[in-house]
Amino acid sequence: MSTRLEGTPAGAAEDPAAPAGGHHRHNRARLVRRERLSRWDLRLSPYLYISPFFILFGLVGLYPLIYTGYLSLYDWDRFYYQRGEFVGLENYRFVLGDPVFIKSLVNTFSIFLMSSVPQVVIAVTVAALLDNRLRGRTFWRMSVLLPFVVAPTAAVLIFGSLFADQYGVVNSALESLGLEPVRWHVDRWWSHLAIAGMVNWRWTGYNALIFLAAMQAVPRDLYESAALDGAGRVRQFFSVTLPMIRPTMIFVIVTSTIGGLQIFTEPRLFDDTPQREGGPDHQYMTSTLYIYVKGIEDQFYGRASAAAWVLFLIIVGIALLNFAITRFLTRRSA
């Protein structure tokens, strides 16, 4: 007896399977598309997430750097703000042969060594002290950041009263002890020391908090094991703490090097002469201050751009040297 309904064409028993198979193939195609989108999402998402930084860096960092290199190859009309003739490396030859620029480089390295080296040592020491269980440790940890919050102008005013040649607090203390006052704004190396003191006062607490965060991440089991082996607090600091925070130290050293070689605000505001060009004899003019004077005040854009590129190459070279030395010491100690 046939079960086919009247009016149903022959072969209709196989028709319900056809739509089901088509629906299955459609779902399978959708799954394949989703898998492909998922794979592309995994590949492209990280680049999309970090792309805003690189776009902004290209606009405000890379493009000005390339354009500065372009400016350094031309002689610019400082009265009409127009590009002059192509001079090639003539601006670089002038800058490297300028005694004022060479003096500014020496001043920059002098202030950098007086500020960055003690700054890192003091910051590590302060971080190690703050890593202990102190009463009100949150207050002490926040207080070391206060100099960084203070505006550079206010900091210069404070240190200006300390290191003034005639009425400064430091000179008053020296005179009360029967010592000769120091001419902070005249003597070259004393002015470097005063400016380095301003830089250290402002940035030591900031770096100390970075070191403190790294010390907080060191497993406490290592200190307990070292204590069981008979190591004291000083031995634990040199054998456990410093090796464990070495990556952070590399970061701070590199950033301090870059910032120390670009110092501008402190010597600019420390100068009490009307010209503000790093003293009457340029005794504390830094390289960035030289670039500012040549480009903004004297309007020699080509020479200022050449000096900026020379300083940029020096900073890159020293940063790479620091990185290579720290990597070598890290591998040797490992």
Side-chain angles (χ1 to χ4, degrees), residues 18 57 81-82 95 127-128 184 188 220 239 262 328:
F57 172 75
Y81 302 99
Q82 294 179 355
V95 168
W184 298 103
R188 185 179 185 184
R220 298 297 150 178
S239 299
Q262 293 179 340
F328 172 75

Side-chain angles (χ1 to χ4, degrees), residues 146-294:
L146 289 178
F148 177 74
V149 179
V150 175
T153 306
V156 171
L157 290 176
I158 295 171
F159 278 85
S161 63
L162 290 175
F163 297 112
D165 294 338
Q166 302 296 331
Y167 54 86
V169 176
V170 177
N171 278 342
S172 299
L174 292 176
E175 290 178 353
S176 64
L177 297 175
L179 300 176
E180 290 292 329
V182 177
R183 299 184 301 172
W184 298 103
H185 291 79
V186 177
D187 295 337
R188 185 179 185 184
W189 305 113
W190 285 114
S191 63
H192 294 182
L193 183 62
I195 295 173
M198 287 189 285
V199 176
N200 289 332
W201 180 78
R202 186 162 184 259
W203 289 96
T204 298
Y206 174 81
N207 289 327
L209 287 185
I210 296 178
F211 285 128
L212 177 61
M215 293 178 184
Q216 292 285 303
V218 177
R220 298 297 150 178
D221 298 342
L222 297 178
Y223 294 105
E224 295 176 1
S225 301
L228 292 175
D229 292 338
R233 299 298 298 270
V234 177
R235 182 65 177 176
Q236 292 177 23
F237 176 75
F238 285 100
S239 299
V240 178
T241 305
L242 289 184
M244 294 299 294
I245 67 171
R246 186 175 288 114
T248 304
M249 292 189 66
I250 295 174
F251 169 77
V252 172
I253 290 172
V254 172
T255 53
S256 298
T257 300
I258 296 173
L261 295 177
Q262 293 179 340
I263 183 172
F264 172 79
T265 304
E266 287 81 0
R268 171 73 175 172
L269 297 179
F270 182 75
D271 192 356
D272 56 357
T273 60
Q275 294 78 16
R276 291 190 179 273
E277 296 182 358
D281 193 31
H282 309 295
Q283 63 267 27
Y284 48 90
M285 170 186 273
T286 59
S287 298
T288 51
L289 188 54
Y290 175 89
I291 295 170
Y292 174 83
V293 171
K294 285 295 179 184

Side-chain angles (χ1 to χ4, degrees), residues 102-176:
I102 301 301
K103 192 172 187 178
S104 71
L105 274 181
V106 176
N107 295 340
T108 300
F109 279 97
S110 174
I111 298 173
F112 160 69
L113 293 176
M114 290 183 183
S115 59
S116 296
V117 176
Q119 183 184 133
V120 173
V121 176
I122 297 173
V124 172
T125 305
V126 171
L129 295 175
L130 293 176
D131 195 30
N132 296 317
R133 295 182 178 179
L134 302 174
R135 289 185 177 181
R137 54 185 176 181
T138 302
F139 167 77
W140 296 112
R141 292 174 181 178
M142 293 179 61
S143 62
V144 298
L145 196 61
L146 289 178
F148 177 74
V149 179
V150 175
T153 306
V156 171
L157 290 176
I158 295 171
F159 278 85
S161 63
L162 290 175
F163 297 112
D165 294 338
Q166 302 296 331
Y167 54 86
V169 176
V170 177
N171 278 342
S172 299
L174 292 176
E175 290 178 353
S176 64

